[in-house]
Amino acid sequence: MFRLFGYFIEIIRGILITARHFIVNMVFHILNLFGIKTKRKGAFTIQYPEQKTEIAERHRSLHRLMKREDGKPRCVACMLCETVCPSECIYIEATEDPDPEIQKYPSTFIIDLSRCCFCGFCVEACPEDAIRMDTGEVEFAQYNRKDMVLDLESLLNEPK
Amino acid sequence: MIDVLIILVKFVGAIVWFLVLSLYLTWAERKESAVMQDRVGANRANFFGIRVLGLFQPFADAIKMMTKEDFTPEFSKKFLHNLAPFLSFFFVAVTIATIPFGSPIQISGKEIPLQVVDLNVGILFVLAFLALSIYGVILSGWVSNNRWTLLGGLRGSAQLISYEVALGLSLIGIVMVFPSLQFSEIVGFQSEVLFGWLPKWGIFLQPLGFIIFLMAAMAESERVPFDLPEGESEIVGFFTEYGGLKYGLYMFTDFMKVLIISCLLTTLFFGGYHVPWLSAEGFHFPWGGEWLLPYWLVVVFQVIMFNLKVFFFCWLQILVRWTYPRFRYDQLMDFGWKFLIPLSLFNIAATAFFMSL
Ligand code: SF4
Ligand code: SF4
């Protein structure tokens, strides 16, 4: 019986907390409805498509491949990113580069975004700083899977 | 003939009030739960770009339900399967007929009570029909021919047995202090005042009875702290095999139950349509002031007051639904049999003791 009593106290405390949240938020909602600006809003909701948050500086978004000064990919096809990728979504085919300083470059570089888990390991692994995930592009949903597969051309020309 | 017509008009009015409010209760529930949780809630449903706080959401829901496939599984009993949701819906919907909305009005010398039918066994009628609505649950659980729905239906009936007793017993106290089973008379008794200032409402005479009735009635509505027949996280519930509009009807019946329970709480424990210190001539404040009103304005005040009280209890029930986790099954039965029923028996004894003083 005594334990039951404590239970009821807690039950009532619980409903007082939620009721407090309701009443406080409702006051702010009503103030805002009548155009009175308050520092606190009634809700933390961000109305997404119309209203967007700042993307954090060290975010990870859509990949891009960096270019050298002459426009060729900075990537040397070392396959480190392909090896480290936990989702196995990078596919690289290497070709010989005439420049002996570079030796190799990718003739094919495919990232399958539908499998990518955005872990950023590829960026960490790259010795040439050739792949980055800093485009700030986060809305790339597509209607079919083929459109989620990015090739060398599109990766090189991602907008920054 | 004219009497039948009056009853028909009143019934249509009451049913429309009931259904529209239940429909908007879905909206209220969404919004209230959102505000409680620091969110905004459904606000996207619009009509040519006009959003008005998502007030069109219930219609969007209804259209969605209607356009979904109305699926009847091959292995179910077709006729009963179709009948079950309507059974639940019907038994809850008719209970609104007994609730008084305001003082009687006079139209061309005829006295019309704002109540569809004034049964002399109003309380028993409502309790009986609310209990009958569980047949829809049991039936759907049984005819769907699915283990989970059967479990849901059985749970529904077991829950009903453990709560219905407490529900009835908690009302005996009310029937003792306001000696009638007729809603209009019970409300009439509550228009008086105690000690010259306190309205003689059921809650002040029967605080314990009120608490028991509140808990038992919420169990009756089968919403979250007591939602064992549905139990979405474990057995999905008695309506597993329903889709489309028939599923929607079950959901809708839940909200109608919330509303009818709010009406009952208002009528039995919070003075029904009575505004404190308002009599047929106007306000007589206990501190001596007076504010005389024409009779029609008194009735308008009463109807508004009734609605406000009902809204308050809807608010409270939604608050409870979004605050507490679910009871375990045995806890629920224990709570009904070992706690609520002894408590309501004690309430009856205590009431009898005080009345004999
Ligand atoms: S972010 Fe992770 S999963 Fe995506 S391509 Fe890079 S390594 Fe693979
Ligand atoms: S790790 Fe860098 S250099 Fe190596 S293949 Fe990947 S992108 Fe190219």
Side-chain angles (χ1 to χ4, degrees), chain A residues 1 4 7-8 11-12 14-15 18-19 21-22 25-26 29 42-45 47 49-50, chain B residues 32 35-40 43-44 51 53 215 315-316 319-320 322-324 327 335 339:
Chain A
M1 201 60 205
L4 207 59
Y7 173 77
F8 271 102
I11 281 272
I12 288 168
I15 203 156
T18 47
H21 269 259
F22 179 82
N25 287 335
M26 211 58 208
H29 276 305
F44 294 109
T45 312
Q47 296 290 333
E50 294 99 37
Chain B
E32 188 184 331
V35 173
M36 278 167 62
Q37 298 168 351
D38 305 343
R39 295 185 283 116
V40 171
N43 63 352
R44 297 259 152 198
R51 278 193 186 165
L53 303 170
M215 287 192 278
W315 176 82
L316 187 71
L319 192 74
V320 168
W322 286 92
T323 301
Y324 301 131
F327 276 98
F335 188 62
F339 183 71

Side-chain angles (χ1 to χ4, degrees), chain B residues 61-137:
Chain B
D61 285 341
I63 291 170
K64 187 195 86 175
M65 292 284 188
M66 278 179 221
T67 47
K68 290 235 165 163
E69 187 189 355
D70 183 9
F71 181 71
T72 313
E74 197 55 33
F75 42 78
S76 70
K77 308 205 171 31
K78 293 272 172 342
F79 174 69
L80 293 176
H81 188 271
N82 289 331
L83 179 69
F86 294 98
L87 217 56
S88 272
F89 176 81
F90 170 77
F91 285 135
V92 178
V94 290
T95 52
I96 194 65
T98 56
I99 304 292
F101 284 81
S103 292
I105 51 171
Q106 252 116 16
I107 296 178
S108 62
K110 218 170 161 52
E111 186 160 293
I112 303 172
L114 288 184
Q115 185 180 14
V116 181
V117 278
D118 193 10
L119 293 178
N120 54 4
V121 285
I123 290 184
L124 296 184
F125 175 83
V126 171
L127 287 187
F129 272 76
L130 281 182
L132 276 178
S133 76
I134 203 78
Y135 273 95
V137 172

Side-chain angles (χ1 to χ4, degrees), chain A residues 63 81 84-90 111 115-123 133:
Chain A
H63 310 69
C81 54
V84 80
C85 178
S87 323
E88 304 188 343
C89 61
I90 303 181
I111 298 183
R115 296 177 59 173
C116 174
C117 62
F118 294 88
C119 60
F121 284 178
C122 47
V123 180
M133 298 175 76

Side-chain angles (χ1 to χ4, degrees), chain B residues 9-23:
Chain B
V9 169
K10 281 194 294 188
F11 186 67
V12 170
I15 270 287
V16 166
W17 178 86
F18 195 30
L19 295 187
V20 169
L21 273 193
S22 309
L23 197 64

Side-chain angles (χ1 to χ4, degrees), chain A residues 11-154:
Chain A
I11 281 272
I12 288 168
R13 263 167 42 117
I15 203 156
L16 286 181
I17 288 172
T18 47
R20 191 190 73 214
H21 269 259
F22 179 82
I23 290 164
V24 169
N25 287 335
M26 211 58 208
V27 168
F28 283 114
H29 276 305
I30 288 169
L31 285 181
N32 289 337
L33 196 68
F34 288 112
I36 302 166
K37 287 275 168 294
T38 46
K39 203 155 148 217
R40 212 187 117 176
K41 289 270 179 299
F44 294 109
T45 312
I46 291 159
Q47 296 290 333
Y48 166 60
E50 294 99 37
Q51 202 186 348
K52 288 175 183 166
T53 42
E54 291 257 306
I55 298 180
E57 210 168 284
R58 48 192 292 267
H59 72 279
R60 298 195 289 268
S61 53
L62 192 62
H63 310 69
R64 67 178 175 135
L65 284 179
M66 307 299 290
K67 292 177 187 168
R68 295 170 197 277
E69 277 86 56
D70 58 359
K72 290 205 303 196
R74 209 191 269 176
C75 170
V76 292
C78 68
M79 309 285 179
L80 279 179
C81 54
E82 188 179 339
T83 315
V84 80
C85 178
S87 323
E88 304 188 343
C89 61
I90 303 181
Y91 175 74
I92 302 168
E93 264 174 31
T95 321
E96 199 173 334
D97 196 286
D99 189 340
E101 288 287 304
I102 304 173
Q103 295 186 357
K104 281 205 295 182
Y105 79 95
S107 62
T108 320
F109 196 112
I110 289 171
I111 298 183
D112 186 352
L113 286 178
S114 61
R115 296 177 59 173
C116 174
C117 62
F118 294 88
C119 60
F121 284 178
C122 47
V123 180
E124 299 293 324
C126 182
E128 297 285 321
D129 191 19
I131 186 164
R132 289 191 190 169
M133 298 175 76
D134 59 354
T135 47
E137 187 66 43
V138 289
E139 296 161 345
F140 39 84
Q142 300 289 352
Y143 280 104
N144 59 50
R145 293 183 189 198
K146 272 199 204 105
D147 295 340
M148 300 287 285
V149 182
L150 299 184
D151 58 4
L152 182 63
E153 197 60 30
S154 49

Side-chain angles (χ1 to χ4, degrees), chain B residues 64 76 94 125 161 167 204 290 305-306 348 350 355:
Chain B
K64 187 195 86 175
S76 70
V94 290
F125 175 83
I161 293 169
L167 195 71
F204 300 122
E290 255 189 358
M305 194 67 194
F306 177 79
I348 294 170
M355 285 179 72

